[in-house]
Amino acid sequence: MDIVVTVKMVPDLVEELEVNAEGTDLDRSVVKLRINEFDEHALEQALLLKNQHGARVTVVALDSGEVDETLFTCLAKGADRAVKVMGDFQGGVSTHTAAAVLAQVLGGIPHELILAGVQAADDRDGQLAVLLGSALRLPHVSVVTGVEPSGDKAVTVRQEYSGGVVGELEVDLPAVLGIQAAPQTPRYAPVSKVRQMMKTAKLETIEAPAVEVGAGSIVTSLARPEAAGRAEIIEGAPEEVAARLYAILADRGLLKR
Amino acid sequence: MSADIAVVVEHLEGVLAEVSFEMLAKGRELAAAGGGMLWAVLIGHGVTRLAGELGAADGVAVVEQEALAHYTPEAYEKAAAAALQALAPRVALVASSSMGLDQAAGLSGTLGWPLCAYCKDVALTDGALTAVSQIYGGKLLATAEVPGEHAICAMLPGAAAAAAGRKSGTPPVREIPPPALDGLRVRFKRLIQPEGGDVDITREGILVSVGRGIGSQDNIAVVKELAEALGGAVSSSRPIVDQGWLPKTRQVGKSGLSVKPKLYLAVGISGAPEHIEGMRGAELIVAINTDPGAPIFDVAHYGVVSDLFDVIPALTEKVKSRA
């Protein structure tokens, strides 16, 4: 089976996010990008299918941030091919645009199963797996937590709904799946192995095709939410804080005798 | 240009989702602002009876077909597309839920209407649509102007009060002819109910909940000790379960369980919208996080900006000694 995993670089949410002077976008000159964590699960799901049933795994990413290192890491984890789509993506692109670009790029890459992370921190105009499915006119399923082959031409997937209820669906291939979580924790690639990949492996590059995407919405303001200010912040040394919390719990009768 | 508003109602196993009523409440506001009708779009098989709970709408557009007996992304998207093409609303509201992820972006792709995802708010002013999306893990709000005659907004659960959208009485029903649903490429197999774990976190009065800030699996012991001293249980946010550090039965949030304990002590949880959705109903929320800007402090009653490894052991000792 040919599996394509789309990999997206997103702002690292652990870092402080700075907004630009116009207040309409992140300050792209200081933003630190990392792989979308859900894409790591998509890759893990692909590698599990490869290990258990045999598959050829190709990772595809738009060029932005330190995507080379990310792609080499994917190779070190077990992906077979890594393709970097060259174009003007450093300032971030809408998901509609990314989907249109990737749909064309995938015309030249064998794919029976396309896996993407279910969502990304910045997909304000929708989720990639779904929009890619639409662009390619392929069936798509989001919030997937498990994929197993079902014969040669279909997969059985688990889709999570609210309250922990799970739907089991059979999906004809080719198909696009938005992966919420792989059945196991994404594997780790040791730095030495990534370095070795950087020396021995090659990233393939493709020029981004020109795409036409309808007018999306225009961000006029990007700002921190006004603190609802509900939390009363307790300050002091750990023992003082603990004493205050203890008193609050005791007041509310939450401490059993 | 139509000023009507359409709400794509969500239901599972014959029960309307709370977010459906929230969207009707927001839809009512938008319909009033634009002077249009409020439509509820109901998709399924044998679901027309649910129209009796949709009294907040001016009309219910029903797409009924046997192939829609169970939710599948493909069939429901086709049905919703047929309804939205027939209604041609100014704005279609879809839930930002598991099903809504499929539907909202799918409809945007199929119909070519712009989409604003993760909406906290949507407003129509003199016909102009603006949407406020909560992005970057809830850390930032993006306000956007949405051009065009039609748009789709995916509404976050909790963005509006459900009470205003909950009204009994059956509005006029308009039957929408179902689209061709043969040769579907996504087929329903079965629904799997959540497994019971050793602990049912939805029944616990006290939850000490851990997030990414805990750092490693070994550190969960620190939190477990406090939970035991308090007579409660340990729950967590999604990353902890994804890491395999706690079983799925302990996960609070959109793809986990919704909990309403007397005390929810959030430890090292930043408070992504998906998590907050599952715990905002707790009676008392206390958050401990090193990041003073963490969104969890917006829903918490009390907050401590500190390293959990300083505060938690001190509190555990205090509780144990009952001093």
Side-chain angles (χ1 to χ4, degrees), chain A residues 101-129:
Chain A
V101 169
L102 288 168
Q104 288 209 33
V105 166
L106 284 171
I109 300 173
H111 57 269
E112 282 152 280
L113 190 58
I114 302 168
L115 305 182
V118 63
Q119 63 187 82
D122 60 353
D123 54 2
R124 192 187 59 84
D125 66 321
Q127 297 74 27
L128 180 66

Side-chain angles (χ1 to χ4, degrees), chain B residues 52-132:
Chain B
E53 295 177 54
L54 301 172
D58 300 314
V60 181
V62 178
V63 192
E64 275 266 3
Q65 225 252 43
E66 214 173 332
L68 299 166
H70 296 283
Y71 175 78
T72 69
E74 187 185 25
Y76 269 58
E77 182 186 315
K78 286 184 171 170
L84 293 183
Q85 264 161 345
L87 299 173
R90 176 72 184 83
V91 183
L93 301 182
V94 180
S96 186
S97 61
S98 287
M99 295 177 187
L101 280 192
D102 288 326
Q103 298 297 300
L107 290 166
S108 173
T110 305
L111 301 172
W113 298 0
L115 164 64
C116 291
Y118 317 109
C119 288
K120 281 289 274 186
D121 200 8
V122 179
L124 270 174
T125 313
D126 300 328
L129 178 67
T130 52
V132 180

Side-chain angles (χ1 to χ4, degrees), chain B residues 124-178:
Chain B
L124 270 174
T125 313
D126 300 328
L129 178 67
T130 52
V132 180
S133 298
Q134 188 176 40
I135 51 176
Y136 299 119
K139 287 188 165 185
L140 295 174
L141 292 179
T143 305
E145 288 173 0
V146 194
E149 292 188 14
H150 311 286
I152 299 166
C153 294
M155 299 300 298
L156 285 173
R166 203 187 287 280
K167 232 168 112 184
S168 55
T170 308
V173 169
R174 172 174 168 186
E175 284 180 27
I176 306 280

Side-chain angles (χ1 to χ4, degrees), chain B residues 48 79 129 226:
Chain B
T48 307
L129 178 67
L226 175 60

Side-chain angles (χ1 to χ4, degrees), chain A residues 154-184:
Chain A
V155 285
T156 301
V157 307
R158 291 185 162 211
Q159 181 178 44
E160 281 196 0
Y161 306 127
S162 305
V165 178
V166 171
E168 200 174 84
L169 305 170
E170 189 177 56
V171 187
D172 288 345
L173 301 176
V176 191
L177 305 178
I179 302 294
Q180 166 86 29
Q184 69 176 41

